[in-house]
């Protein structure tokens, strides 16, 4: 599958470059902009006592962006790559955006890879599920990967209506077993295989073609921004596991899902209210002679996130207090005492963001996420950003996790096997620094 994707990436990148070069340079209406950055990325985890895990990383990353407009056509190119000298499992070349578009009011059409942002809240994102993610990045909000799609957007009333067709199942990037961000056991040498999908036909396999679609309505009503959505696609955020009987590998299985939901944001003076909802119903795969499910399919559930932001001025800067909470409600398995739906099943966030509004664009943000059902489980995350002159910037991130499995006293190996939710990343405490030069 990776080889096929490399071919698609190379072909699409070449096609985009040719399309941009094919536009006559002497055209008066042609507008081309490009920018990029090179970064030195370093990260270090609190050392554990497991020899096979990689606690440090030092890499060189680059991002290239270009856009061209030749009315009524436009194109966007955004590529990201990384080479890590200490942890080669993080090496990648990823397409974030690569599309050609056409716009003639009230219609806009785009074909290619896109990054979509459907979220309203800060920490929890039940509505923002379309893009595949790189899970070897940030646990609190993993980096998105470009999703291949055809988009048709029509201006309507005080907003727009967007329809999407997605013919390709793009797999997420999962951390390898040696990564401290891997959700799989690290002490046990469990053979891990590549991701599998269960599609509309309920068959388990790794084919990359699938009929997927989405519809979204956005409107502004007074001071409120509202959106409603429905989509059917192969989920890439909540896998179950199967045993490959041919190889003995444990492989993550991503299920076909139907989701309906929406977002709401409204300003009340210095306060911003937010709500985000996603109701998810998963398809159950047919029995397979090759794959055996280790447990039943992902549970149907409703994910609800709500929050408030309070902003005020402090000198020349601005402070913002952030309060958010999330709950996941299951329906079809009430006897399951601890549904394993993700790291934040019933949690609350208390955070603070400060923009210094100085010439260096200094920003500081910190927050703590606490499990409301077990307050002994929590995660602290902090970020600092600052420009260094005109073309350099520094970013620092700190994350600490305390989520001990309930029966971990029986031994660390058993603790890994019974871990659920945030417990899978217990003590994955990380500090990372990124020094970037923009051009």
């Amino acid at each position: 599958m990776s080889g096929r994707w490399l071919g698609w990436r190379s072909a699409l990148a070449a096609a985009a470059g040719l399309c941009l070069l094919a536009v006559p340079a002497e055209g008066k209406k042609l507008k081309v902009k490009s920018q990029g950055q090179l970064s030195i990325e370093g990260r270090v985890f609190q050392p554990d006592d497991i020899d096979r895990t990689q606690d440090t990383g030092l890499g060189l990353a680059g991002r290239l962006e270009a856009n061209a407009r030749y009315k009524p056509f436009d194109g966007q190119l955004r590529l990201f790559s990384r080479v890590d000298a200490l942890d080669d499992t993080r090496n990648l070349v990823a397409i974030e955006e690569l599309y050609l578009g056409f716009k003639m009011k009230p219609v806009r059409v785009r074909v290619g890879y896109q990054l979509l942002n459907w979220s309203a809240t800060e920490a929890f994102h039940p509505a923002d599920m379309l893009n595949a993610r790189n899970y070897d990045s940030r646990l609190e909000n993993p980096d998105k990967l470009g999703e291949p799609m055809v988009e048709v957007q029509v201006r309507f009333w005080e907003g727009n209506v967007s329809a999407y067709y997605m013919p390709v199942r793009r797999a997420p990037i999962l951390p390898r077993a040696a990564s401290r961000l891997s959700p799989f056991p690290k002490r046990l040498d469990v053979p891990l295989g590549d991701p599998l999908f269960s599609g509309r036909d309920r068959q388990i396999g790794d084919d990359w073609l699938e009929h997927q679609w989405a519809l979204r309505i956005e409107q502004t009503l007074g001071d409120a921004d509202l959106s409603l959505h429905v989509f059917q696609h192969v989920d890439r955020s909540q896998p179950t596991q199967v045993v490959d009987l041919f190889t003995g590998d444990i492989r993550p299985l991503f299920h076909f899902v139907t989701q309906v939901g929406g977002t709401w944001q409204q300003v009340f003076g210095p306060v911003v209210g937010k709500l985000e909802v996603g109701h998810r119903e998963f398809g159950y795969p047919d029995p397979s002679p090759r794959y055996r499910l280790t447990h039943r399919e992902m549970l149907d559930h409703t994910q609800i996130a709500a929050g408030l932001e309070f902003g005020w001025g402090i000198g020349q800067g601005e402070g913002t207090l952030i309060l958010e909470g999330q709950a996941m409600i299951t329906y079809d398995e009430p006897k399951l005492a601890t549904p394993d739906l993700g790291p934040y099943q019933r949690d609350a966030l208390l955070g603070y963001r400060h923009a210094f509004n100085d010439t260096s664009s200094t920003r500081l943000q910190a927050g703590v996420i606490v499990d409301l059902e077990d307050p002994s489980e929590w995660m602290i995350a902090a970020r600092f950003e600052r420009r260094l002159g005109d073309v350099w910037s520094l970013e620092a991130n700190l994350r600490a996790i305390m989520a001990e499995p309930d029966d971990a006293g029986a031994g660390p190996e058993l603790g890994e096997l019974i871990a659920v939710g945030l417990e899978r990343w217990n003590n994955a405490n990380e500090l990372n620094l990124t020094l970037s030069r923009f051009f």
Side-chain angles (χ1 to χ4, degrees):
M1 186 173 180
S2 59
R4 288 197 295 265
W5 270 112
L6 184 60
W8 272 90
R9 288 172 174 165
S10 302
L12 286 171
L18 289 174
C19 288
L20 294 176
L21 292 174
V23 179
E26 66 274 8
K28 295 182 179 180
K29 296 182 180 180
L30 174 64
K31 296 181 180 179
V32 178
K33 295 181 180 179
S34 63
Q35 60 182 1
Q37 70 181 77
L38 288 174
S39 304
I40 299 175
E41 300 180 338
R43 73 176 186 179
V44 58
F45 290 88
Q46 177 182 325
D48 57 17
D49 58 353
I50 307 173
D51 294 336
R52 63 198 300 258
T53 57
Q54 180 65 47
D55 295 333
T56 57
L58 180 63
L60 180 65
R63 178 174 279 110
L64 175 64
E65 301 180 47
N67 62 73
R69 181 178 297 275
Y70 192 72
K71 292 186 177 180
F73 302 98
D74 69 313
Q76 178 79 26
L77 170 68
R78 183 176 175 179
L79 303 176
F80 177 79
S81 65
R82 177 192 295 116
V83 177
D84 195 302
L86 303 180
D87 185 1
D88 59 6
T89 66
R90 301 186 69 221
N91 297 350
L92 82 157
V93 176
I95 298 175
E96 295 180 332
E97 291 188 300
L98 178 54
Y99 64 79
L100 295 176
F102 170 86
K103 184 176 182 180
M104 184 171 291
K105 293 183 178 180
V107 178
R108 187 187 77 183
V109 179
R110 288 178 176 175
V111 179
Y113 288 75
Q114 288 196 66
L115 294 179
L116 303 180
N117 182 17
W118 289 8
S119 188
T121 48
E122 181 75 25
F124 312 116
H125 310 289
D128 197 16
M129 294 288 190
L130 274 193
N131 285 92
R133 303 268 185 159
N134 176 11
Y135 290 101
D136 198 0
S137 55
R138 296 175 295 168
L139 179 63
E140 57 273 18
N141 190 18
D143 295 340
K144 292 180 182 179
L145 303 173
E147 197 72 20
M149 63 181 66
V150 178
E151 176 197 13
V152 178
Q153 184 180 99
V154 180
R155 292 289 301 174
F156 170 71
W157 200 18
E158 296 299 323
N160 54 66
V161 178
S162 302
Y164 305 86
Y165 176 66
M166 299 160 287
V168 176
R169 302 190 285 205
R170 184 172 192 183
I173 297 176
L174 300 176
R176 296 299 181 183
S179 172
R180 294 291 299 277
L181 296 180
S182 172
F184 299 101
K186 303 173 182 64
R187 298 177 184 274
L188 301 175
D189 190 11
V190 178
L192 301 177
D194 292 331
L196 293 168
F197 306 102
S198 173
R200 188 182 298 273
D201 60 1
R202 298 182 178 271
Q203 301 301 305
I204 299 176
D206 57 4
D207 294 339
W208 52 278
L209 289 178
E210 180 66 73
H211 296 296
Q212 306 168 104
W213 59 269
L215 182 66
R216 188 173 191 239
I217 301 174
E218 301 172 89
Q219 292 294 317
T220 298
L221 303 178
D223 294 330
D225 293 326
L226 304 171
S227 75
L228 296 172
H229 69 259
V230 57
F231 60 75
Q232 287 189 331
H233 78 151
V234 176
D235 172 67
R236 274 75 48 81
S237 62
Q238 294 176 304
T240 56
Q241 289 81 44
V242 299
V243 178
D244 188 334
L245 300 179
F246 289 9
T247 65
D249 291 348
I250 302 295
R251 303 180 67 174
L253 172 64
F254 294 95
H255 297 262
F256 195 80
V257 66
T258 299
Q259 174 167 319
V260 295
T263 63
W264 165 81
Q265 295 185 80
Q266 189 163 352
V267 178
F268 304 94
V271 180
V272 180
K274 299 182 177 184
L275 178 67
E276 192 166 329
V277 179
H279 174 73
R280 299 164 67 74
E281 296 189 358
F282 293 84
Y284 187 69
D286 291 335
S288 168
R290 176 171 179 176
Y291 305 107
R292 177 178 299 166
L293 274 76
T294 59
H295 54 83
R296 61 156 294 161
E297 80 276 18
M298 178 55 64
L299 300 178
D300 298 344
H301 62 274
T302 300
Q303 188 172 344
I304 303 172
L308 295 172
E309 291 189 4
F310 304 84
W312 65 92
I314 303 178
Q316 69 175 13
E318 299 177 3
T320 304
L321 181 66
I322 305 167
L323 300 173
E324 285 186 8
Q326 174 171 272
M328 295 186 182
I329 305 168
T330 60
Y331 304 98
D332 57 345
E333 193 73 24
K335 63 182 180 181
L336 193 61
T338 308
D340 190 8
L341 304 176
Y344 312 115
Q345 296 184 169
R346 194 175 296 271
D347 296 75
L349 163 73
L350 174 62
Y352 178 74
R353 179 172 60 242
H354 191 90
F356 290 82
N357 291 339
D358 56 5
T359 56
S360 298
S361 301
T362 308
R363 287 167 55 93
L364 175 65
Q365 181 167 328
V368 56
I369 296 176
V370 178
D371 189 322
L372 297 179
E373 296 178 323
D374 182 2
S376 66
E377 293 190 5
W378 48 264
M379 182 182 80
I380 294 176
R383 172 180 293 186
F384 175 80
E385 301 171 277
R386 183 179 177 87
R387 276 207 344 257
L388 306 175
D390 295 333
V391 296
W392 292 90
S393 73
L394 176 68
E395 178 181 323
N397 289 272
L398 175 68
R399 180 180 61 248
I401 300 173
M402 177 59 68
E404 193 79 20
D406 290 339
D407 296 330
E413 290 83 2
L414 178 59
E416 286 189 332
L417 291 176
I418 65 175
V420 297
L422 192 61
E423 295 171 355
R424 292 189 174 95
W425 295 275
N426 181 42
N427 289 330
N429 305 327
E430 176 189 355
L431 171 65
N432 64 65
L433 297 173
T434 302
L435 178 65
S436 301
R437 189 188 191 283
F438 297 86
F439 57 88

